[in-house]
Amino acid sequence: MGNATSSMAAKFAFFPPNPPSYTLLMDESSGILRISEIAHHREDVEVVKLATKKGNTIVAMYVKNNSATLTVLYSHGNAADLGQMYPIFTELSAHLGVNLMGYDYSGYGQSSGKPSEQDTYADIEAAYKCLEDKYGVKEEDTILYGQSVGSGPTLELATHLPKLRAVILHSPMLSGLRVMYPVKKTFWFDIYKNIDKIPLVKCPVLVIHGTKDEVVDISHGKKLWEFCNEKYEPLWLNGGNHCNLELFPEYLSHLVKFISAIEKLPAMQNVAESKPDSLDTSLNSTENKEKARSSIELREKPRSSTGKIEKSRASTEKRERSRRSLDRPWKSRKSTDQMDKARNSFERLGEMVRSVGLCASVDCIKPTVVSEV
């Protein structure tokens, strides 16, 4: 039955660029693997081949940012590959101040095999293992980013990482079948059952969706956000469609604000550990990590009281003052300089999106599925 599901998924859900937008070139002198279509090799970008447990070899790229404390593992949309995403990945790494790894699914770009739901799960697992083994990235310093179809492997992996720092969902779907029909329950033959997985994710989740998305309706993003345990202020981009959200200045500024809030989590934990009346917030404990997040109120809805009494009013007030300096990261800050900086830095990213033609590369899930029915 599982094989039938994967076969069905491969028929109507995956549309790798054909031909691929890039080829790979091995530098004979250095042994460095490169994307040949990129005119200038960057020392901060490394291209690698990874073996998956499904027997395929996928291509991934790692963008290093020397000032980064966090690493983003980015699962791209349906009609794209690394050749198209390369300039966007490098720009996001620079603007957000993060290391970033992107990868091609099996059957995409120069990755071997054929795409399927289960293969994408194996693909993201291989990419994450590479981050751990080759680059020394820790689970608690990792943010998973899933765009459209990429929301599937992103949420699948997120359910297996209890110490994950955060998740970003960009134009996500509730499930493959729900993109086509407003079904109320999950069927065995459905794929990417995100609606069933999102309640299992315990870290902060940011959802970004366009109000005019013609492929995956915004109701998908809103429902997923509703089911999140750790809600961060969502970004509903007025007039945004399925493939142009990066062109909105609010996209980058909201991401910058989110990353900034997530980066402050360790600082809050260290402060809490130094106070005798504070909760133990060791990163080695999933339960304690939940409490630490609660302390800076990343959730929009406060948790019910655990019944634990504060030892003193003075310590409570002190903690509240600390929270007020960092909490509610989603509230708008009246800083013209900050907005101008985000807008100026985003202009270049917008140019990157336009230059690779992603605005015309719709995921094509809905039209194709309809034709299959």
Side-chain angles (χ1 to χ4, degrees), residues 46-48 50 58-63 71-76 81-82 85 89 99-105 127 131 145:
E46 185 173 1
V47 179
V48 295
L50 308 173
I58 64 170
V59 181
M61 61 173 286
Y62 179 74
V63 185
T71 298
V72 172
L73 177 54
Y74 195 119
S75 301
H76 61 64
D81 62 22
L82 287 184
M85 299 303 295
F89 286 168
N99 302 313
L100 189 149
M101 172 169 276
Y103 64 100
D104 268 340
Y105 310 119
L131 285 178
Y145 188 124

PDB file of all heavy atoms in Angstrom, residues 46-48 50 58-63 71-76 81-82 85 89 99-105 127 131 145:
ATOM      1  N   GLU A  46      29.668  25.483  -0.806  1.00  0.00           N
ATOM      2  CA  GLU A  46      30.198  24.160  -1.087  1.00  0.00           C
ATOM      3  C   GLU A  46      29.083  23.287  -1.658  1.00  0.00           C
ATOM      4  O   GLU A  46      27.982  23.243  -1.110  1.00  0.00           O
ATOM      5  CB  GLU A  46      30.763  23.521   0.181  1.00  0.00           C
ATOM      6  CG  GLU A  46      31.442  22.187  -0.073  1.00  0.00           C
ATOM      7  CD  GLU A  46      32.155  21.646   1.158  1.00  0.00           C
ATOM      8  OE1 GLU A  46      32.106  22.313   2.213  1.00  0.00           O
ATOM      9  OE2 GLU A  46      32.758  20.553   1.064  1.00  0.00           O
ATOM     10  N   VAL A  47      29.380  22.604  -2.752  1.00  0.00           N
ATOM     11  CA  VAL A  47      28.429  21.687  -3.382  1.00  0.00           C
ATOM     12  C   VAL A  47      28.858  20.258  -3.060  1.00  0.00           C
ATOM     13  O   VAL A  47      30.035  19.903  -3.210  1.00  0.00           O
ATOM     14  CB  VAL A  47      28.368  21.900  -4.908  1.00  0.00           C
ATOM     15  CG1 VAL A  47      27.386  20.925  -5.554  1.00  0.00           C
ATOM     16  CG2 VAL A  47      27.976  23.338  -5.229  1.00  0.00           C
ATOM     17  N   VAL A  48      27.913  19.443  -2.592  1.00  0.00           N
ATOM     18  CA  VAL A  48      28.242  18.079  -2.192  1.00  0.00           C
ATOM     19  C   VAL A  48      27.225  17.094  -2.760  1.00  0.00           C
ATOM     20  O   VAL A  48      26.095  17.463  -3.096  1.00  0.00           O
ATOM     21  CB  VAL A  48      28.273  17.937  -0.651  1.00  0.00           C
ATOM     22  CG1 VAL A  48      29.397  18.763  -0.055  1.00  0.00           C
ATOM     23  CG2 VAL A  48      26.939  18.327  -0.040  1.00  0.00           C
ATOM     24  N   LEU A  50      25.242  13.504  -1.795  1.00  0.00           N
ATOM     25  CA  LEU A  50      24.883  12.753  -0.602  1.00  0.00           C
ATOM     26  C   LEU A  50      24.131  11.477  -0.980  1.00  0.00           C
ATOM     27  O   LEU A  50      23.265  11.500  -1.857  1.00  0.00           O
ATOM     28  CB  LEU A  50      23.997  13.611   0.321  1.00  0.00           C
ATOM     29  CG  LEU A  50      24.526  15.000   0.690  1.00  0.00           C
ATOM     30  CD1 LEU A  50      23.451  15.773   1.450  1.00  0.00           C
ATOM     31  CD2 LEU A  50      25.800  14.888   1.499  1.00  0.00           C
ATOM     32  N   ILE A  58      21.870  12.479  -4.069  1.00  0.00           N
ATOM     33  CA  ILE A  58      21.303  13.806  -4.271  1.00  0.00           C
ATOM     34  C   ILE A  58      22.391  14.876  -4.170  1.00  0.00           C
ATOM     35  O   ILE A  58      23.444  14.655  -3.572  1.00  0.00           O
ATOM     36  CB  ILE A  58      20.181  14.105  -3.252  1.00  0.00           C
ATOM     37  CG1 ILE A  58      20.735  14.144  -1.823  1.00  0.00           C
ATOM     38  CG2 ILE A  58      19.056  13.089  -3.381  1.00  0.00           C
ATOM     39  CD1 ILE A  58      19.746  14.676  -0.799  1.00  0.00           C
ATOM     40  N   VAL A  59      22.105  16.017  -4.768  1.00  0.00           N
ATOM     41  CA  VAL A  59      23.035  17.142  -4.745  1.00  0.00           C
ATOM     42  C   VAL A  59      22.546  18.163  -3.722  1.00  0.00           C
ATOM     43  O   VAL A  59      21.351  18.463  -3.650  1.00  0.00           O
ATOM     44  CB  VAL A  59      23.141  17.805  -6.129  1.00  0.00           C
ATOM     45  CG1 VAL A  59      24.143  18.967  -6.100  1.00  0.00           C
ATOM     46  CG2 VAL A  59      23.548  16.781  -7.179  1.00  0.00           C
ATOM     47  N   ALA A  60      23.476  18.669  -2.916  1.00  0.00           N
ATOM     48  CA  ALA A  60      23.147  19.693  -1.926  1.00  0.00           C
ATOM     49  C   ALA A  60      24.189  20.794  -1.984  1.00  0.00           C
ATOM     50  O   ALA A  60      25.311  20.586  -2.468  1.00  0.00           O
ATOM     51  CB  ALA A  60      23.088  19.087  -0.525  1.00  0.00           C
ATOM     52  N   MET A  61      23.807  21.965  -1.535  1.00  0.00           N
ATOM     53  CA  MET A  61      24.768  23.068  -1.447  1.00  0.00           C
ATOM     54  C   MET A  61      24.688  23.688  -0.060  1.00  0.00           C
ATOM     55  O   MET A  61      23.615  23.811   0.525  1.00  0.00           O
ATOM     56  CB  MET A  61      24.506  24.136  -2.512  1.00  0.00           C
ATOM     57  CG  MET A  61      23.157  24.812  -2.450  1.00  0.00           C
ATOM     58  SD  MET A  61      22.996  26.199  -3.613  1.00  0.00           S
ATOM     59  CE  MET A  61      24.007  27.442  -2.810  1.00  0.00           C
ATOM     60  N   TYR A  62      25.856  24.025   0.480  1.00  0.00           N
ATOM     61  CA  TYR A  62      25.954  24.597   1.820  1.00  0.00           C
ATOM     62  C   TYR A  62      26.561  25.989   1.702  1.00  0.00           C
ATOM     63  O   TYR A  62      27.657  26.159   1.163  1.00  0.00           O
ATOM     64  CB  TYR A  62      26.827  23.711   2.699  1.00  0.00           C
ATOM     65  CG  TYR A  62      27.021  24.226   4.108  1.00  0.00           C
ATOM     66  CD1 TYR A  62      25.994  24.154   5.047  1.00  0.00           C
ATOM     67  CD2 TYR A  62      28.241  24.777   4.498  1.00  0.00           C
ATOM     68  CE1 TYR A  62      26.177  24.622   6.346  1.00  0.00           C
ATOM     69  CE2 TYR A  62      28.428  25.244   5.789  1.00  0.00           C
ATOM     70  CZ  TYR A  62      27.397  25.159   6.710  1.00  0.00           C
ATOM     71  OH  TYR A  62      27.578  25.626   7.997  1.00  0.00           O
ATOM     72  N   VAL A  63      25.821  26.976   2.187  1.00  0.00           N
ATOM     73  CA  VAL A  63      26.289  28.362   2.172  1.00  0.00           C
ATOM     74  C   VAL A  63      26.706  28.727   3.588  1.00  0.00           C
ATOM     75  O   VAL A  63      25.885  28.720   4.505  1.00  0.00           O
ATOM     76  CB  VAL A  63      25.182  29.323   1.688  1.00  0.00           C
ATOM     77  CG1 VAL A  63      25.743  30.733   1.557  1.00  0.00           C
ATOM     78  CG2 VAL A  63      24.592  28.852   0.368  1.00  0.00           C
ATOM     79  N   THR A  71      21.498  27.539  11.580  1.00  0.00           N
ATOM     80  CA  THR A  71      21.585  26.990  10.233  1.00  0.00           C
ATOM     81  C   THR A  71      20.194  26.642   9.732  1.00  0.00           C
ATOM     82  O   THR A  71      19.409  26.012  10.447  1.00  0.00           O
ATOM     83  CB  THR A  71      22.462  25.715  10.220  1.00  0.00           C
ATOM     84  OG1 THR A  71      23.793  26.054  10.639  1.00  0.00           O
ATOM     85  CG2 THR A  71      22.506  25.097   8.825  1.00  0.00           C
ATOM     86  N   VAL A  72      19.887  27.059   8.523  1.00  0.00           N
ATOM     87  CA  VAL A  72      18.598  26.785   7.890  1.00  0.00           C
ATOM     88  C   VAL A  72      18.751  25.633   6.897  1.00  0.00           C
ATOM     89  O   VAL A  72      19.654  25.649   6.057  1.00  0.00           O
ATOM     90  CB  VAL A  72      18.065  28.037   7.156  1.00  0.00           C
ATOM     91  CG1 VAL A  72      16.824  27.687   6.331  1.00  0.00           C
ATOM     92  CG2 VAL A  72      17.753  29.148   8.146  1.00  0.00           C
ATOM     93  N   LEU A  73      17.883  24.639   7.023  1.00  0.00           N
ATOM     94  CA  LEU A  73      17.815  23.554   6.040  1.00  0.00           C
ATOM     95  C   LEU A  73      16.579  23.794   5.191  1.00  0.00           C
ATOM     96  O   LEU A  73      15.455  23.669   5.666  1.00  0.00           O
ATOM     97  CB  LEU A  73      17.750  22.198   6.741  1.00  0.00           C
ATOM     98  CG  LEU A  73      17.598  20.954   5.844  1.00  0.00           C
ATOM     99  CD1 LEU A  73      18.676  20.911   4.773  1.00  0.00           C
ATOM    100  CD2 LEU A  73      17.629  19.679   6.682  1.00  0.00           C
ATOM    101  N   TYR A  74      16.782  24.172   3.937  1.00  0.00           N
ATOM    102  CA  TYR A  74      15.730  24.675   3.059  1.00  0.00           C
ATOM    103  C   TYR A  74      15.293  23.602   2.063  1.00  0.00           C
ATOM    104  O   TYR A  74      16.084  23.093   1.277  1.00  0.00           O
ATOM    105  CB  TYR A  74      16.265  25.893   2.297  1.00  0.00           C
ATOM    106  CG  TYR A  74      15.238  26.751   1.605  1.00  0.00           C
ATOM    107  CD1 TYR A  74      15.068  28.095   1.955  1.00  0.00           C
ATOM    108  CD2 TYR A  74      14.452  26.264   0.569  1.00  0.00           C
ATOM    109  CE1 TYR A  74      14.144  28.904   1.310  1.00  0.00           C
ATOM    110  CE2 TYR A  74      13.531  27.059  -0.080  1.00  0.00           C
ATOM    111  CZ  TYR A  74      13.382  28.381   0.296  1.00  0.00           C
ATOM    112  OH  TYR A  74      12.465  29.178  -0.355  1.00  0.00           O
ATOM    113  N   SER A  75      13.988  23.266   2.102  1.00  0.00           N
ATOM    114  CA  SER A  75      13.390  22.342   1.130  1.00  0.00           C
ATOM    115  C   SER A  75      12.586  23.164   0.132  1.00  0.00           C
ATOM    116  O   SER A  75      11.565  23.747   0.484  1.00  0.00           O
ATOM    117  CB  SER A  75      12.478  21.333   1.844  1.00  0.00           C
ATOM    118  OG  SER A  75      13.199  20.579   2.799  1.00  0.00           O
ATOM    119  N   HIS A  76      13.038  23.216  -1.108  1.00  0.00           N
ATOM    120  CA  HIS A  76      12.459  24.139  -2.089  1.00  0.00           C
ATOM    121  C   HIS A  76      11.135  23.635  -2.660  1.00  0.00           C
ATOM    122  O   HIS A  76      10.683  22.525  -2.381  1.00  0.00           O
ATOM    123  CB  HIS A  76      13.457  24.451  -3.201  1.00  0.00           C
ATOM    124  CG  HIS A  76      13.901  23.259  -4.009  1.00  0.00           C
ATOM    125  ND1 HIS A  76      13.042  22.521  -4.784  1.00  0.00           N
ATOM    126  CD2 HIS A  76      15.135  22.697  -4.179  1.00  0.00           C
ATOM    127  CE1 HIS A  76      13.709  21.566  -5.405  1.00  0.00           C
ATOM    128  NE2 HIS A  76      14.981  21.636  -5.044  1.00  0.00           N
ATOM    129  N   ASP A  81      15.053  23.834  -8.959  1.00  0.00           N
ATOM    130  CA  ASP A  81      16.189  23.022  -8.560  1.00  0.00           C
ATOM    131  C   ASP A  81      17.298  23.955  -8.075  1.00  0.00           C
ATOM    132  O   ASP A  81      17.128  25.174  -8.050  1.00  0.00           O
ATOM    133  CB  ASP A  81      16.660  22.088  -9.687  1.00  0.00           C
ATOM    134  CG  ASP A  81      17.133  22.826 -10.934  1.00  0.00           C
ATOM    135  OD1 ASP A  81      17.505  24.021 -10.836  1.00  0.00           O
ATOM    136  OD2 ASP A  81      17.150  22.217 -12.032  1.00  0.00           O
ATOM    137  N   LEU A  82      18.428  23.387  -7.690  1.00  0.00           N
ATOM    138  CA  LEU A  82      19.494  24.183  -7.076  1.00  0.00           C
ATOM    139  C   LEU A  82      20.052  25.260  -7.986  1.00  0.00           C
ATOM    140  O   LEU A  82      20.488  26.310  -7.511  1.00  0.00           O
ATOM    141  CB  LEU A  82      20.642  23.267  -6.619  1.00  0.00           C
ATOM    142  CG  LEU A  82      20.382  22.406  -5.378  1.00  0.00           C
ATOM    143  CD1 LEU A  82      21.646  21.627  -5.011  1.00  0.00           C
ATOM    144  CD2 LEU A  82      19.940  23.272  -4.207  1.00  0.00           C
ATOM    145  N   MET A  85      17.768  28.070  -7.430  1.00  0.00           N
ATOM    146  CA  MET A  85      17.732  28.532  -6.053  1.00  0.00           C
ATOM    147  C   MET A  85      19.067  29.076  -5.560  1.00  0.00           C
ATOM    148  O   MET A  85      19.117  29.762  -4.532  1.00  0.00           O
ATOM    149  CB  MET A  85      17.292  27.379  -5.138  1.00  0.00           C
ATOM    150  CG  MET A  85      15.910  26.820  -5.422  1.00  0.00           C
ATOM    151  SD  MET A  85      14.571  28.052  -5.340  1.00  0.00           S
ATOM    152  CE  MET A  85      14.631  28.509  -3.612  1.00  0.00           C
ATOM    153  N   PHE A  89      19.445  31.370  -2.280  1.00  0.00           N
ATOM    154  CA  PHE A  89      20.039  30.802  -1.071  1.00  0.00           C
ATOM    155  C   PHE A  89      21.177  31.685  -0.556  1.00  0.00           C
ATOM    156  O   PHE A  89      21.293  31.927   0.650  1.00  0.00           O
ATOM    157  CB  PHE A  89      20.555  29.390  -1.340  1.00  0.00           C
ATOM    158  CG  PHE A  89      19.475  28.349  -1.454  1.00  0.00           C
ATOM    159  CD1 PHE A  89      19.764  27.081  -1.941  1.00  0.00           C
ATOM    160  CD2 PHE A  89      18.171  28.622  -1.075  1.00  0.00           C
ATOM    161  CE1 PHE A  89      18.783  26.100  -2.037  1.00  0.00           C
ATOM    162  CE2 PHE A  89      17.170  27.649  -1.177  1.00  0.00           C
ATOM    163  CZ  PHE A  89      17.488  26.391  -1.658  1.00  0.00           C
ATOM    164  N   ASN A  99      23.795  30.183   8.324  1.00  0.00           N
ATOM    165  CA  ASN A  99      24.269  29.185   7.372  1.00  0.00           C
ATOM    166  C   ASN A  99      23.030  28.597   6.712  1.00  0.00           C
ATOM    167  O   ASN A  99      21.960  28.544   7.333  1.00  0.00           O
ATOM    168  CB  ASN A  99      25.038  28.073   8.082  1.00  0.00           C
ATOM    169  CG  ASN A  99      26.231  28.590   8.860  1.00  0.00           C
ATOM    170  OD1 ASN A  99      27.014  29.389   8.356  1.00  0.00           O
ATOM    171  ND2 ASN A  99      26.364  28.147  10.103  1.00  0.00           N
ATOM    172  N   LEU A 100      23.150  28.153   5.482  1.00  0.00           N
ATOM    173  CA  LEU A 100      21.979  27.618   4.791  1.00  0.00           C
ATOM    174  C   LEU A 100      22.364  26.432   3.918  1.00  0.00           C
ATOM    175  O   LEU A 100      23.320  26.504   3.144  1.00  0.00           O
ATOM    176  CB  LEU A 100      21.312  28.707   3.946  1.00  0.00           C
ATOM    177  CG  LEU A 100      19.953  28.364   3.326  1.00  0.00           C
ATOM    178  CD1 LEU A 100      19.075  29.605   3.204  1.00  0.00           C
ATOM    179  CD2 LEU A 100      20.101  27.721   1.944  1.00  0.00           C
ATOM    180  N   MET A 101      21.629  25.342   4.078  1.00  0.00           N
ATOM    181  CA  MET A 101      21.793  24.199   3.179  1.00  0.00           C
ATOM    182  C   MET A 101      20.510  23.987   2.397  1.00  0.00           C
ATOM    183  O   MET A 101      19.414  23.935   2.973  1.00  0.00           O
ATOM    184  CB  MET A 101      22.135  22.916   3.935  1.00  0.00           C
ATOM    185  CG  MET A 101      22.117  21.675   3.021  1.00  0.00           C
ATOM    186  SD  MET A 101      22.800  20.168   3.737  1.00  0.00           S
ATOM    187  CE  MET A 101      24.551  20.416   3.397  1.00  0.00           C
ATOM    188  N   GLY A 102      20.646  23.904   1.080  1.00  0.00           N
ATOM    189  CA  GLY A 102      19.544  23.534   0.207  1.00  0.00           C
ATOM    190  C   GLY A 102      19.915  22.243  -0.506  1.00  0.00           C
ATOM    191  O   GLY A 102      21.099  21.928  -0.638  1.00  0.00           O
ATOM    192  N   TYR A 103      18.934  21.508  -0.960  1.00  0.00           N
ATOM    193  CA  TYR A 103      19.220  20.231  -1.609  1.00  0.00           C
ATOM    194  C   TYR A 103      18.172  19.978  -2.685  1.00  0.00           C
ATOM    195  O   TYR A 103      17.079  20.530  -2.652  1.00  0.00           O
ATOM    196  CB  TYR A 103      19.207  19.091  -0.589  1.00  0.00           C
ATOM    197  CG  TYR A 103      17.850  18.861   0.050  1.00  0.00           C
ATOM    198  CD1 TYR A 103      17.008  17.845  -0.389  1.00  0.00           C
ATOM    199  CD2 TYR A 103      17.387  19.692   1.072  1.00  0.00           C
ATOM    200  CE1 TYR A 103      15.750  17.653   0.169  1.00  0.00           C
ATOM    201  CE2 TYR A 103      16.136  19.508   1.644  1.00  0.00           C
ATOM    202  CZ  TYR A 103      15.323  18.500   1.194  1.00  0.00           C
ATOM    203  OH  TYR A 103      14.068  18.320   1.731  1.00  0.00           O
ATOM    204  N   ASP A 104      18.539  19.151  -3.653  1.00  0.00           N
ATOM    205  CA  ASP A 104      17.589  18.730  -4.687  1.00  0.00           C
ATOM    206  C   ASP A 104      17.012  17.373  -4.328  1.00  0.00           C
ATOM    207  O   ASP A 104      17.741  16.462  -3.914  1.00  0.00           O
ATOM    208  CB  ASP A 104      18.272  18.656  -6.056  1.00  0.00           C
ATOM    209  CG  ASP A 104      18.160  19.962  -6.823  1.00  0.00           C
ATOM    210  OD1 ASP A 104      17.271  20.776  -6.499  1.00  0.00           O
ATOM    211  OD2 ASP A 104      18.965  20.170  -7.755  1.00  0.00           O
ATOM    212  N   TYR A 105      15.704  17.244  -4.498  1.00  0.00           N
ATOM    213  CA  TYR A 105      15.056  15.962  -4.260  1.00  0.00           C
ATOM    214  C   TYR A 105      15.535  14.940  -5.288  1.00  0.00           C
ATOM    215  O   TYR A 105      16.060  15.294  -6.354  1.00  0.00           O
ATOM    216  CB  TYR A 105      13.535  16.112  -4.364  1.00  0.00           C
ATOM    217  CG  TYR A 105      12.965  17.249  -3.562  1.00  0.00           C
ATOM    218  CD1 TYR A 105      12.270  18.288  -4.189  1.00  0.00           C
ATOM    219  CD2 TYR A 105      13.123  17.291  -2.182  1.00  0.00           C
ATOM    220  CE1 TYR A 105      11.747  19.339  -3.453  1.00  0.00           C
ATOM    221  CE2 TYR A 105      12.598  18.332  -1.436  1.00  0.00           C
ATOM    222  CZ  TYR A 105      11.914  19.361  -2.076  1.00  0.00           C
ATOM    223  OH  TYR A 105      11.402  20.409  -1.343  1.00  0.00           O
ATOM    224  N   ALA A 127      20.319  15.149   3.954  1.00  0.00           N
ATOM    225  CA  ALA A 127      20.821  16.524   4.059  1.00  0.00           C
ATOM    226  C   ALA A 127      21.055  16.901   5.521  1.00  0.00           C
ATOM    227  O   ALA A 127      22.073  17.511   5.869  1.00  0.00           O
ATOM    228  CB  ALA A 127      19.833  17.487   3.407  1.00  0.00           C
ATOM    229  N   LEU A 131      24.573  17.875   7.597  1.00  0.00           N
ATOM    230  CA  LEU A 131      24.778  19.048   8.460  1.00  0.00           C
ATOM    231  C   LEU A 131      25.389  18.629   9.798  1.00  0.00           C
ATOM    232  O   LEU A 131      26.291  19.297  10.316  1.00  0.00           O
ATOM    233  CB  LEU A 131      23.450  19.768   8.702  1.00  0.00           C
ATOM    234  CG  LEU A 131      22.899  20.607   7.558  1.00  0.00           C
ATOM    235  CD1 LEU A 131      21.554  21.211   7.948  1.00  0.00           C
ATOM    236  CD2 LEU A 131      23.884  21.721   7.185  1.00  0.00           C
ATOM    237  N   TYR A 145      13.119  24.915   6.865  1.00  0.00           N
ATOM    238  CA  TYR A 145      12.337  25.814   6.011  1.00  0.00           C
ATOM    239  C   TYR A 145      11.735  24.978   4.885  1.00  0.00           C
ATOM    240  O   TYR A 145      12.458  24.384   4.094  1.00  0.00           O
ATOM    241  CB  TYR A 145      13.250  26.906   5.452  1.00  0.00           C
ATOM    242  CG  TYR A 145      12.561  28.038   4.707  1.00  0.00           C
ATOM    243  CD1 TYR A 145      12.744  29.357   5.106  1.00  0.00           C
ATOM    244  CD2 TYR A 145      11.761  27.810   3.594  1.00  0.00           C
ATOM    245  CE1 TYR A 145      12.148  30.417   4.436  1.00  0.00           C
ATOM    246  CE2 TYR A 145      11.147  28.855   2.914  1.00  0.00           C
ATOM    247  CZ  TYR A 145      11.351  30.154   3.338  1.00  0.00           C
ATOM    248  OH  TYR A 145      10.743  31.195   2.662  1.00  0.00           O
TER     249      TYR A 145
END
